Amino acid sequence: VLESGEWWYGDRVATFEKEFAAFQDAKHCITCTSGTTAAEIAMRALDIGHGDEVIVPPFTFVATASTVAYVGATPIFVDTDESWCMDPTLIEATITPRTKAIMPVHFGGRICDIDAVQAIADKHNLKFIEDACHSWGSKWKGKGTGALGHCGVFSFQASKNLNAGEGGAILTDDDALAERCRSIINCGRSETGPWHHHVNIGTNARLTEFAGALLSAQFSRLEEQNAIRNRNAAILDDGLAGIPGLTPQPGDDRISHRAYHLYCLRFDAAQYGCSRDKFLEAIAAEGIELFPGYAVPLYEQPCFLNSDLPHDYSSDNCPDTAALCAREALCFTQAILLGTEDDMQDIITALTKIQAHAEALAE
Ligand SMILES: Cc1ncc(COP(=O)(O)O)c(C=O)c1O
Protein backbone atom coordinates (compact mmCIF):
# COMPACT_ATOMS: atom_id res chain seq x y z
CA VAL A 1 0.00 0.00 0.00
CA LEU A 2 2.79 2.38 0.97
CA GLU A 3 4.52 2.06 -2.36
CA SER A 4 1.42 1.78 -4.50
CA GLY A 5 0.50 5.39 -3.76
CA GLU A 6 -3.09 4.21 -3.31
CA TRP A 7 -3.69 5.09 0.31
CA TRP A 8 -7.43 5.46 -0.18
CA TYR A 9 -9.97 4.37 -2.80
CA GLY A 10 -7.80 1.44 -3.85
CA ASP A 11 -8.91 -2.19 -4.04
CA ARG A 12 -7.70 -3.34 -0.56
CA VAL A 13 -10.74 -2.15 1.36
CA ALA A 14 -13.10 -3.34 -1.37
CA THR A 15 -11.43 -6.78 -1.39
CA PHE A 16 -11.74 -7.15 2.38
CA GLU A 17 -15.39 -6.06 2.27
CA LYS A 18 -16.14 -8.82 -0.25
CA GLU A 19 -14.23 -11.43 1.78
CA PHE A 20 -15.86 -10.52 5.06
CA ALA A 21 -19.40 -10.26 3.67
CA ALA A 22 -19.07 -13.74 2.13
CA PHE A 23 -17.58 -15.14 5.35
CA GLN A 24 -20.49 -13.86 7.47
CA ASP A 25 -23.12 -14.75 4.80
CA ALA A 26 -24.17 -11.11 4.33
CA LYS A 27 -24.95 -9.39 1.05
CA HIS A 28 -23.13 -6.18 1.96
CA CYS A 29 -20.16 -5.24 4.10
CA ILE A 30 -19.46 -1.52 4.54
CA THR A 31 -16.27 -0.85 6.43
CA CYS A 32 -15.63 2.22 8.59
CA THR A 33 -13.25 3.49 11.22
CA SER A 34 -14.49 1.61 14.34
CA GLY A 35 -17.23 -0.53 15.84
CA THR A 36 -18.49 2.60 17.56
CA THR A 37 -18.78 4.50 14.29
CA ALA A 38 -20.41 1.47 12.68
CA ALA A 39 -23.18 1.47 15.30
CA GLU A 40 -23.68 5.24 15.03
CA ILE A 41 -23.87 5.13 11.25
CA ALA A 42 -26.20 2.12 11.20
CA MET A 43 -28.58 3.94 13.53
CA ARG A 44 -28.38 7.18 11.55
CA ALA A 45 -29.06 5.24 8.37
CA LEU A 46 -32.11 3.70 10.05
CA ASP A 47 -33.32 7.22 11.00
CA ILE A 48 -32.94 6.57 14.71
CA GLY A 49 -32.47 9.82 16.63
CA HIS A 50 -34.09 12.28 19.03
CA GLY A 51 -37.20 10.99 20.76
CA ASP A 52 -36.42 7.34 19.96
CA GLU A 53 -35.43 4.53 22.29
CA VAL A 54 -33.13 1.59 21.61
CA ILE A 55 -33.03 -1.49 23.85
CA VAL A 56 -29.52 -2.60 24.83
CA PRO A 57 -27.91 -4.84 27.48
CA PRO A 58 -26.06 -3.31 30.47
CA PHE A 59 -23.19 -5.86 30.55
CA THR A 60 -21.09 -4.73 27.59
CA PHE A 61 -18.58 -2.13 26.47
CA VAL A 62 -19.95 1.40 26.78
CA ALA A 63 -20.26 1.86 23.01
CA THR A 64 -23.30 -0.44 22.79
CA ALA A 65 -25.28 2.19 24.71
CA SER A 66 -23.30 5.41 24.23
CA THR A 67 -23.73 5.21 20.45
CA VAL A 68 -27.50 5.27 20.97
CA ALA A 69 -27.19 8.47 23.02
CA TYR A 70 -24.65 9.89 20.56
CA VAL A 71 -27.21 9.78 17.74
CA GLY A 72 -29.68 11.54 20.07
CA ALA A 73 -31.79 8.53 21.11
CA THR A 74 -32.19 7.00 24.59
CA PRO A 75 -30.66 3.65 25.53
CA ILE A 76 -33.01 1.47 27.58
CA PHE A 77 -31.31 -1.35 29.46
CA VAL A 78 -32.60 -4.93 29.55
CA ASP A 79 -30.86 -7.37 31.89
CA THR A 80 -28.72 -10.32 30.85
CA ASP A 81 -29.53 -13.95 31.71
CA GLU A 82 -27.39 -17.06 32.27
CA SER A 83 -26.19 -16.76 28.64
CA TRP A 84 -24.48 -13.40 29.48
CA CYS A 85 -26.56 -11.94 26.61
CA MET A 86 -29.79 -9.93 26.75
CA ASP A 87 -32.69 -11.85 28.36
CA PRO A 88 -35.37 -11.93 25.63
CA THR A 89 -38.15 -12.59 28.15
CA LEU A 90 -37.61 -9.11 29.63
CA ILE A 91 -37.63 -7.15 26.38
CA GLU A 92 -41.34 -6.68 25.77
CA ALA A 93 -41.97 -5.01 29.14
CA THR A 94 -39.63 -2.18 28.13
CA ILE A 95 -41.15 -1.48 24.70
CA THR A 96 -42.88 1.90 24.39
CA PRO A 97 -44.26 3.82 21.40
CA ARG A 98 -40.79 5.43 21.22
CA THR A 99 -38.88 2.15 20.83
CA LYS A 100 -37.20 1.90 17.44
CA ALA A 101 -34.70 -0.92 17.73
CA ILE A 102 -33.26 -3.73 19.82
CA MET A 103 -29.47 -4.02 19.85
CA PRO A 104 -28.29 -7.12 21.74
CA VAL A 105 -24.62 -8.10 22.02
CA HIS A 106 -23.30 -11.58 21.14
CA PHE A 107 -21.27 -11.50 24.31
CA GLY A 108 -17.83 -13.05 23.98
CA GLY A 109 -18.86 -14.44 20.58
CA ARG A 110 -21.80 -16.40 22.07
CA ILE A 111 -24.82 -15.51 19.92
CA CYS A 112 -27.90 -14.17 21.73
CA ASP A 113 -31.27 -15.88 21.25
CA ILE A 114 -31.81 -14.69 17.69
CA ASP A 115 -35.18 -16.43 17.21
CA ALA A 116 -36.68 -14.83 20.32
CA VAL A 117 -35.32 -11.33 19.59
CA GLN A 118 -36.40 -11.48 15.94
CA ALA A 119 -39.92 -12.60 16.92
CA ILE A 120 -40.24 -9.59 19.27
CA ALA A 121 -38.79 -7.23 16.66
CA ASP A 122 -41.27 -8.54 14.06
CA LYS A 123 -44.23 -8.34 16.44
CA HIS A 124 -43.53 -4.71 17.38
CA ASN A 125 -42.15 -3.58 14.02
CA LEU A 126 -38.71 -2.79 15.46
CA LYS A 127 -35.29 -2.92 13.84
CA PHE A 128 -32.98 -5.66 15.09
CA ILE A 129 -29.37 -4.43 15.09
CA GLU A 130 -26.76 -6.99 16.17
CA ASP A 131 -23.83 -5.67 18.16
CA ALA A 132 -21.59 -8.32 16.62
CA CYS A 133 -18.38 -6.68 17.84
CA HIS A 134 -17.27 -9.99 19.49
CA SER A 135 -18.40 -12.48 16.89
CA TRP A 136 -16.34 -12.81 13.69
CA GLY A 137 -17.22 -16.30 12.44
CA SER A 138 -20.08 -17.16 14.82
CA LYS A 139 -23.07 -18.76 13.09
CA TRP A 140 -26.70 -19.30 14.09
CA LYS A 141 -28.33 -22.28 12.31
CA GLY A 142 -25.62 -21.99 9.65
CA LYS A 143 -25.85 -18.24 9.04
CA GLY A 144 -23.23 -15.73 10.16
CA THR A 145 -23.74 -12.99 12.72
CA GLY A 146 -24.32 -9.54 11.32
CA ALA A 147 -26.55 -11.10 8.67
CA LEU A 148 -29.10 -12.41 11.17
CA GLY A 149 -30.87 -9.20 12.19
CA HIS A 150 -31.60 -6.21 9.96
CA CYS A 151 -27.93 -5.27 10.19
CA GLY A 152 -24.94 -5.98 12.38
CA VAL A 153 -21.90 -4.01 13.48
CA PHE A 154 -18.34 -5.29 13.92
CA SER A 155 -15.16 -3.95 15.49
CA PHE A 156 -11.60 -4.52 14.24
CA GLN A 157 -9.97 -2.69 17.17
CA ALA A 158 -6.66 -3.97 18.54
CA SER A 159 -8.01 -6.41 21.16
CA LYS A 160 -10.24 -8.17 18.65
CA ASN A 161 -9.87 -11.58 16.95
CA LEU A 162 -9.76 -9.80 13.59
CA ASN A 163 -7.98 -6.49 13.95
CA ALA A 164 -6.28 -3.63 12.17
CA GLY A 165 -5.58 -1.54 15.28
CA GLU A 166 -8.84 0.28 14.63
CA GLY A 167 -11.66 -0.39 12.19
CA GLY A 168 -15.27 -1.42 11.95
CA ALA A 169 -17.98 -2.63 9.60
CA ILE A 170 -21.71 -2.77 9.06
CA LEU A 171 -23.18 -5.93 7.53
CA THR A 172 -26.65 -6.13 6.03
CA ASP A 173 -28.72 -7.83 3.35
CA ASP A 174 -30.76 -4.64 2.84
CA ASP A 175 -29.60 -2.91 -0.40
CA ALA A 176 -31.09 0.48 0.46
CA LEU A 177 -29.63 0.47 3.97
CA ALA A 178 -26.22 -0.52 2.62
CA GLU A 179 -26.30 2.33 0.12
CA ARG A 180 -27.25 4.82 2.84
CA CYS A 181 -24.52 3.61 5.20
CA ARG A 182 -21.94 3.82 2.41
CA SER A 183 -23.05 7.34 1.65
CA ILE A 184 -23.00 8.51 5.30
CA ILE A 185 -19.51 7.06 5.77
CA ASN A 186 -18.34 8.90 2.64
CA CYS A 187 -19.43 12.50 3.35
CA GLY A 188 -22.97 11.86 2.14
CA ARG A 189 -21.90 11.21 -1.46
CA SER A 190 -23.94 9.00 -3.75
CA GLU A 191 -22.17 6.07 -5.36
CA THR A 192 -22.72 7.33 -8.86
CA GLY A 193 -23.02 11.10 -8.49
CA PRO A 194 -20.35 13.77 -9.04
CA TRP A 195 -17.62 14.15 -6.37
CA HIS A 196 -19.05 17.31 -4.85
CA HIS A 197 -22.66 16.17 -4.88
CA HIS A 198 -23.95 15.21 -1.41
CA VAL A 199 -27.29 13.47 -1.03
CA ASN A 200 -27.13 12.75 2.71
CA ILE A 201 -25.73 14.55 5.74
CA GLY A 202 -22.71 12.34 6.28
CA THR A 203 -19.33 12.15 7.90
CA ASN A 204 -15.93 10.85 6.91
CA ALA A 205 -15.49 7.42 8.45
CA ARG A 206 -13.70 5.73 5.56
CA LEU A 207 -11.18 2.99 6.31
CA THR A 208 -7.72 3.53 4.82
CA GLU A 209 -6.14 1.12 2.37
CA PHE A 210 -3.50 0.32 5.01
CA ALA A 211 -6.23 -0.98 7.32
CA GLY A 212 -7.86 -2.85 4.41
CA ALA A 213 -4.58 -4.63 3.65
CA LEU A 214 -4.05 -5.51 7.32
CA LEU A 215 -7.58 -6.87 7.60
CA SER A 216 -7.25 -9.15 4.57
CA ALA A 217 -3.95 -10.48 5.93
CA GLN A 218 -5.49 -11.06 9.37
CA PHE A 219 -8.59 -12.52 7.77
CA SER A 220 -6.50 -15.17 5.97
CA ARG A 221 -5.60 -16.58 9.44
CA LEU A 222 -8.96 -16.12 11.16
CA GLU A 223 -10.43 -19.58 10.60
CA GLU A 224 -7.24 -21.33 11.65
CA GLN A 225 -7.02 -19.18 14.78
CA ASN A 226 -10.73 -19.64 15.57
CA ALA A 227 -10.17 -23.41 15.38
CA ILE A 228 -7.33 -23.14 17.94
CA ARG A 229 -9.57 -21.06 20.24
CA ASN A 230 -12.36 -23.62 19.91
CA ARG A 231 -10.03 -26.51 20.69
CA ASN A 232 -8.73 -24.69 23.76
CA ALA A 233 -12.22 -23.70 24.92
CA ALA A 234 -13.21 -27.39 24.75
CA ILE A 235 -10.14 -28.32 26.84
CA LEU A 236 -11.11 -25.70 29.43
CA ASP A 237 -14.75 -26.87 29.42
CA ASP A 238 -13.63 -30.44 30.20
CA GLY A 239 -10.96 -29.52 32.70
CA LEU A 240 -13.05 -27.05 34.65
CA ALA A 241 -16.17 -29.24 34.79
CA GLY A 242 -14.94 -30.86 37.99
CA ILE A 243 -14.19 -27.62 39.83
CA PRO A 244 -17.09 -26.39 41.97
CA GLY A 245 -18.11 -22.77 41.59
CA LEU A 246 -16.89 -22.20 38.03
CA THR A 247 -19.59 -22.34 35.33
CA PRO A 248 -18.58 -21.71 31.71
CA GLN A 249 -20.87 -19.42 29.66
CA PRO A 250 -23.43 -21.89 28.24
CA GLY A 251 -23.86 -22.45 24.51
CA ASP A 252 -27.05 -23.09 22.55
CA ASP A 253 -27.70 -25.95 20.10
CA ARG A 254 -28.80 -23.42 17.48
CA ILE A 255 -25.30 -21.91 17.45
CA SER A 256 -23.79 -23.92 14.61
CA HIS A 257 -20.40 -22.28 15.02
CA ARG A 258 -19.18 -20.41 18.05
CA ALA A 259 -16.24 -18.07 17.72
CA TYR A 260 -14.69 -17.17 21.05
CA HIS A 261 -13.71 -13.57 21.69
CA LEU A 262 -13.77 -14.27 25.42
CA TYR A 263 -13.91 -17.49 27.42
CA CYS A 264 -16.30 -16.54 30.23
CA LEU A 265 -16.82 -18.21 33.59
CA ARG A 266 -19.41 -17.44 36.23
CA PHE A 267 -17.86 -17.55 39.68
CA ASP A 268 -19.87 -18.77 42.65
CA ALA A 269 -18.00 -17.80 45.83
CA ALA A 270 -20.12 -20.04 48.08
CA GLN A 271 -19.26 -23.13 46.04
CA TYR A 272 -15.67 -22.25 45.21
CA GLY A 273 -14.87 -21.38 48.79
CA CYS A 274 -13.56 -17.78 48.66
CA SER A 275 -14.55 -14.41 47.20
CA ARG A 276 -13.85 -13.44 43.59
CA ASP A 277 -11.38 -10.78 44.78
CA LYS A 278 -9.33 -13.33 46.73
CA PHE A 279 -9.52 -15.72 43.81
CA LEU A 280 -8.30 -13.02 41.39
CA GLU A 281 -5.33 -12.26 43.65
CA ALA A 282 -4.44 -15.94 43.74
CA ILE A 283 -4.75 -16.49 40.00
CA ALA A 284 -2.61 -13.41 39.32
CA ALA A 285 0.01 -14.87 41.67
CA GLU A 286 -0.05 -18.02 39.50
CA GLY A 287 0.89 -15.80 36.54
CA ILE A 288 -2.42 -16.24 34.73
CA GLU A 289 -4.30 -13.31 33.22
CA LEU A 290 -7.98 -13.39 33.97
CA PHE A 291 -10.14 -10.28 34.18
CA PRO A 292 -13.43 -9.66 35.97
CA GLY A 293 -15.33 -8.06 33.10
CA TYR A 294 -17.01 -4.70 33.67
CA ALA A 295 -16.98 -3.07 37.11
CA VAL A 296 -20.55 -1.73 36.99
CA PRO A 297 -23.70 -2.14 34.87
CA LEU A 298 -23.66 0.53 32.17
CA TYR A 299 -26.61 2.42 33.69
CA GLU A 300 -24.32 3.23 36.64
CA GLN A 301 -21.77 4.99 34.42
CA PRO A 302 -21.66 8.76 35.00
CA CYS A 303 -22.22 9.42 31.30
CA PHE A 304 -25.75 8.04 31.64
CA LEU A 305 -26.47 9.00 35.28
CA ASN A 306 -25.49 12.63 34.63
CA SER A 307 -26.95 12.89 31.14
CA ASP A 308 -29.99 14.93 30.18
CA LEU A 309 -31.52 11.90 28.46
CA PRO A 310 -35.23 11.46 29.22
CA HIS A 311 -34.72 8.40 31.42
CA ASP A 312 -33.86 8.11 35.12
CA TYR A 313 -30.91 5.70 35.09
CA SER A 314 -30.56 5.90 38.88
CA SER A 315 -33.70 3.78 39.20
CA ASP A 316 -32.51 1.07 36.78
CA ASN A 317 -31.87 -2.34 38.31
CA CYS A 318 -30.62 -5.37 36.37
CA PRO A 319 -29.82 -8.05 38.99
CA ASP A 320 -28.08 -10.54 36.69
CA THR A 321 -25.69 -7.92 35.27
CA ALA A 322 -25.20 -6.43 38.75
CA ALA A 323 -24.14 -9.88 40.03
CA LEU A 324 -21.81 -10.43 37.05
CA CYS A 325 -20.16 -7.07 37.70
CA ALA A 326 -19.93 -7.27 41.48
CA ARG A 327 -18.89 -10.87 42.08
CA GLU A 328 -19.44 -13.40 39.29
CA ALA A 329 -17.83 -12.56 35.93
CA LEU A 330 -14.45 -13.93 34.91
CA CYS A 331 -13.10 -13.66 31.36
CA PHE A 332 -10.09 -15.04 29.54
CA THR A 333 -9.24 -13.00 26.46
CA GLN A 334 -9.06 -14.43 22.95
CA ALA A 335 -5.26 -14.08 23.02
CA ILE A 336 -5.06 -16.55 25.95
CA LEU A 337 -7.20 -18.94 23.90
CA LEU A 338 -4.48 -18.96 21.22
CA GLY A 339 -2.12 -20.72 23.66
CA THR A 340 -0.98 -24.33 23.47
CA GLU A 341 -2.80 -27.32 24.95
CA ASP A 342 -0.18 -27.27 27.74
CA ASP A 343 -1.08 -23.65 28.49
CA MET A 344 -4.70 -24.73 28.97
CA GLN A 345 -3.59 -27.54 31.30
CA ASP A 346 -1.61 -24.95 33.30
CA ILE A 347 -4.77 -22.90 33.69
CA ILE A 348 -6.78 -25.94 34.81
CA THR A 349 -4.03 -26.93 37.27
CA ALA A 350 -3.93 -23.41 38.75
CA LEU A 351 -7.70 -23.16 39.12
CA THR A 352 -7.84 -26.61 40.75
CA LYS A 353 -4.98 -25.75 43.10
CA ILE A 354 -6.53 -22.45 44.17
CA GLN A 355 -9.87 -24.15 44.80
CA ALA A 356 -8.15 -26.73 47.03
CA HIS A 357 -6.82 -23.82 49.15
CA ALA A 358 -9.88 -21.60 48.88
CA GLU A 359 -10.76 -21.94 52.55
CA ALA A 360 -7.35 -20.70 53.62
CA LEU A 361 -7.66 -17.79 51.15
CA ALA A 362 -11.06 -16.91 52.58
CA GLU A 363 -9.63 -16.50 56.10
C1 LIG B 1 -19.62 -5.14 22.42
C2 LIG B 1 -18.87 -4.00 21.80
N1 LIG B 1 -19.54 -3.10 21.07
C3 LIG B 1 -18.92 -2.06 20.47
C4 LIG B 1 -17.55 -1.89 20.58
C5 LIG B 1 -16.91 -0.70 19.93
O1 LIG B 1 -15.93 -1.05 19.01
P1 LIG B 1 -14.68 -0.06 18.74
O2 LIG B 1 -13.75 -0.16 19.90
O3 LIG B 1 -14.09 -0.59 17.46
O4 LIG B 1 -15.22 1.31 18.57
C6 LIG B 1 -16.81 -2.81 21.32
C7 LIG B 1 -15.35 -2.66 21.44
O5 LIG B 1 -14.70 -3.12 22.33
C8 LIG B 1 -17.48 -3.88 21.96
O6 LIG B 1 -16.81 -4.78 22.71
Side-chain angles (χ1 to χ4, degrees):
V1 173
L2 183 72
E3 286 168 7
S4 73
E6 281 190 347
W7 291 13
W8 71 330
Y9 280 96
D11 57 14
R12 266 37 179 230
V13 168
T15 300
F16 172 71
E17 288 181 341
K18 281 196 197 88
E19 289 168 340
F20 194 60
F23 183 64
Q24 297 291 145
D25 309 301
K27 199 165 168 194
H28 303 279
C29 169
I30 306 105
T31 53
C32 59
T33 46
S34 68
T36 301
T37 333
E40 286 162 10
I41 287 164
M43 282 186 271
R44 284 200 189 282
L46 289 167
D47 279 326
I48 294 171
H50 289 278
D52 299 331
E53 293 176 354
V54 177
I55 296 170
V56 293
F59 191 76
T60 173
F61 182 61
V62 67
T64 309
S66 61
T67 51
V68 175
Y70 202 70
V71 300
T74 303
I76 300 294
F77 294 102
V78 163
D79 205 358
T80 44
D81 60 18
E82 70 286 346
S83 71
W84 300 55
C85 299
M86 190 188 281
D87 182 346
T89 66
L90 302 176
I91 295 175
E92 279 194 290
T94 66
I95 293 175
T96 72
R98 295 176 296 283
T99 310
K100 278 287 178 69
I102 312 171
M103 182 158 62
V105 176
H106 305 314
F107 195 82
R110 194 271 190 212
I111 307 178
C112 75
D113 187 338
I114 295 291
D115 298 350
V117 176
Q118 189 65 64
I120 297 166
D122 289 346
K123 182 173 162 195
H124 296 272
N125 195 23
L126 305 175
K127 298 293 186 226
F128 175 6
I129 305 169
E130 296 168 68
D131 183 334
C133 285
H134 292 180
S135 65
W136 324 255
S138 289
K139 296 202 178 211
W140 180 264
K141 298 179 183 167
K143 193 172 186 195
T145 52
L148 299 166
H150 192 166
C151 61
V153 297
F154 286 80
S155 166
F156 307 127
Q157 169 270 339
S159 71
K160 302 301 196 293
N161 302 31
L162 177 59
N163 99 74
E166 296 283 8
I170 301 156
L171 263 56
T172 185
D173 287 343
D174 177 339
D175 296 341
L177 181 67
E179 192 181 321
R180 210 162 135 71
C181 289
R182 209 172 271 292
S183 169
I184 294 174
I185 281 165
N186 189 16
C187 314
R189 292 187 170 96
S190 79
E191 277 188 64
T192 48
W195 187 246
H196 288 301
H197 181 68
H198 305 273
V199 291
N200 289 299
I201 299 292
T203 186
N204 176 1
R206 294 183 303 259
L207 203 61
T208 70
E209 286 290 289
F210 291 100
L214 276 173
L215 285 171
S216 280
Q218 298 271 34
F219 178 69
S220 69
R221 307 187 306 171
L222 182 66
E223 278 191 280
E224 186 192 325
Q225 292 186 331
N226 275 353
I228 295 172
R229 293 186 188 99
N230 281 49
R231 178 205 67 194
N232 285 339
I235 295 174
L236 291 177
D237 280 348
D238 281 353
L240 303 182
I243 308 179
L246 294 178
T247 309
Q249 183 185 23
D252 183 310
D253 289 346
R254 295 165 294 178
I255 299 174
S256 43
H257 190 272
R258 177 164 169 187
Y260 283 86
H261 175 54
L262 300 168
Y263 182 89
C264 302
L265 291 166
R266 223 181 250 261
F267 186 80
D268 179 344
Q271 281 194 53
Y272 194 83
C274 66
S275 70
R276 185 180 63 170
D277 287 349
K278 287 282 174 201
F279 166 82
L280 282 168
E281 276 176 37
I283 191 102
E286 295 292 321
I288 292 168
E289 262 182 51
L290 183 55
F291 78 100
Y294 305 99
V296 291
L298 279 184
Y299 51 79
E300 287 184 21
Q301 289 286 353
C303 63
F304 299 113
L305 283 178
N306 303 332
S307 72
D308 54 8
L309 291 163
H311 181 86
D312 176 14
Y313 291 102
S314 67
S315 63
D316 279 3
N317 177 25
C318 295
D320 186 72
T321 287
L324 281 172
C325 293
R327 55 187 180 276
E328 292 182 355
L330 293 171
C331 307
F332 287 107
T333 65
Q334 56 89 11
I336 300 265
L337 286 180
L338 286 177
T340 62
E341 295 186 33
D342 283 350
D343 293 334
M344 299 306 115
Q345 290 306 337
D346 282 350
I347 291 173
I348 294 163
T349 305
L351 291 170
T352 312
K353 174 178 153 191
I354 297 168
Q355 204 276 322
H357 298 280
E359 251 180 65
L361 283 169
E363 280 162 16

